[in-house]
Amino acid sequence: ECLNVFEGLKNVYSVYISPDQTKALFVSEKPVFYIADLISFSIDCKNILPPYNDNIEGIGCWDQNSKSVFVPVQKKTSMCSIVRQYFIGDTNAYKDVFTGNYHVISVEYIEPLKKHLFVGLDLDKYYSFVAECWFIAWYDNSKTDIIYLKGNDTNVDKTEINTKDKLIKVFSNNKICEYGFDGQVLSQVTLQDYYKMQEKLFHPLF
């Protein structure tokens, strides 16, 4: 059963439900996002203003209290992006929580650790041709700890977190690596071998 239709949304790629399940964050590929109230079905549009108003590619997440959202906003003139915290009820109010010459590709709240995880590229190292320029960063609402991924020599596409075993699985264009929370690589496998293993796991031969 359809309860409501939100119309007029521009190029929305991703939807994130708040932890209290009363609101939804709609993130566009454009420099705009929307906060929808799932009880009253009202919706608030936030246009991201210059200079950090390049496309945000559907990336965002909630805080643990459903009172703010985190969105990586990027300059039009460079790859540089910062993580900005927008506050619900007044999306003109915000705080820049992670700044520097970085390109952030992912933001996520990790409930068991009570921290936000940012994944990104250190542009100073990247432009200096330093191999280990990708990092994870833990944000605990007061400070950010940056941990570089040791031995990583390829672009990161996405990550998966295993809090129980304190592992981070990093997917790139040609391999998958597992890292500890200290940034040390524990294992790696090519994508071709990974898909072969998945095929054997889900379609074993009898």
Side-chain angles (χ1 to χ4, degrees), residues 29-71:
E29 66 161 347
K30 303 296 184 182
V32 61
F33 66 87
Y34 308 85
I35 301 294
D37 189 305
L38 300 180
I39 299 174
S40 67
F41 298 118
S42 62
I43 192 162
D44 182 24
C45 172
K46 174 61 182 177
N47 289 293
I48 298 171
L49 301 178
Y52 289 93
N53 65 326
D54 201 6
N55 297 341
I56 53 178
E57 305 298 344
I59 304 170
C61 72
W62 287 89
D63 74 351
Q64 66 271 35
N65 298 316
S66 305
K67 294 183 178 180
S68 64
V69 296
F70 290 76
V71 178

Side-chain angles (χ1 to χ4, degrees), residues 1-175:
E1 181 182 359
C2 179
L3 297 179
N4 190 69
V5 176
F6 294 103
E7 297 181 342
L9 306 185
K10 299 177 181 178
N11 299 86
V12 168
Y13 269 27
S14 306
V15 180
Y16 306 92
I17 305 300
S18 62
D20 65 6
Q21 299 185 341
T22 65
K23 294 175 283 293
L25 166 64
F26 293 90
V27 187
S28 172
E29 66 161 347
K30 303 296 184 182
V32 61
F33 66 87
Y34 308 85
I35 301 294
D37 189 305
L38 300 180
I39 299 174
S40 67
F41 298 118
S42 62
I43 192 162
D44 182 24
C45 172
K46 174 61 182 177
N47 289 293
I48 298 171
L49 301 178
Y52 289 93
N53 65 326
D54 201 6
N55 297 341
I56 53 178
E57 305 298 344
I59 304 170
C61 72
W62 287 89
D63 74 351
Q64 66 271 35
N65 298 316
S66 305
K67 294 183 178 180
S68 64
V69 296
F70 290 76
V71 178
V73 294
Q74 182 175 325
K75 285 185 175 180
K76 280 185 174 292
T77 55
S78 73
M79 292 176 62
C80 181
S81 57
I82 60 178
V83 179
R84 184 167 287 174
Q85 182 181 15
Y86 289 91
F87 297 94
I88 305 304
D90 182 4
T91 48
N92 291 315
Y94 64 82
K95 178 172 68 173
D96 293 335
V97 300
F98 184 60
T99 61
N101 198 20
Y102 305 119
H103 177 67
V104 179
I105 67 163
S106 174
V107 296
E108 181 181 2
Y109 181 67
I110 309 299
E111 172 63 32
L113 302 180
K114 307 299 182 185
K115 295 180 180 180
H116 282 83
L117 173 66
F118 310 144
V119 180
L121 175 68
D122 185 316
L123 294 175
D124 289 332
K125 290 190 174 190
Y126 177 74
Y127 290 128
S128 299
F129 302 100
V130 176
E132 296 171 355
C133 51
W134 285 91
F135 63 84
I136 59 171
W138 298 105
Y139 175 66
D140 65 359
N141 292 324
S142 61
K143 67 180 187 305
T144 306
D145 294 322
I146 298 177
I147 301 167
Y148 288 92
L149 301 177
K150 307 294 192 300
N152 182 71
D153 58 358
T154 186
N155 289 338
V156 174
D157 293 330
K158 67 174 184 176
T159 58
E160 292 180 357
I161 306 299
N162 178 342
T163 56
K164 179 181 179 181
D165 298 321
K166 296 185 178 180
L167 297 175
I168 300 174
K169 185 177 290 187
V170 175
F171 295 79
S172 65
N173 58 353
N174 61 1
K175 62 182 177 181

Side-chain angles (χ1 to χ4, degrees), residues 180-206:
F181 280 5
D182 59 357
Q184 297 291 337
V185 63
L186 303 175
S187 66
Q188 58 181 314
V189 61
T190 66
L191 279 181
Q192 184 178 10
D193 288 342
Y194 175 77
Y195 290 132
K196 287 181 180 178
M197 289 187 291
Q198 293 296 103
E199 181 71 18
K200 290 181 179 179
L201 179 63
F202 292 106
H203 302 283
L205 296 177
F206 295 99

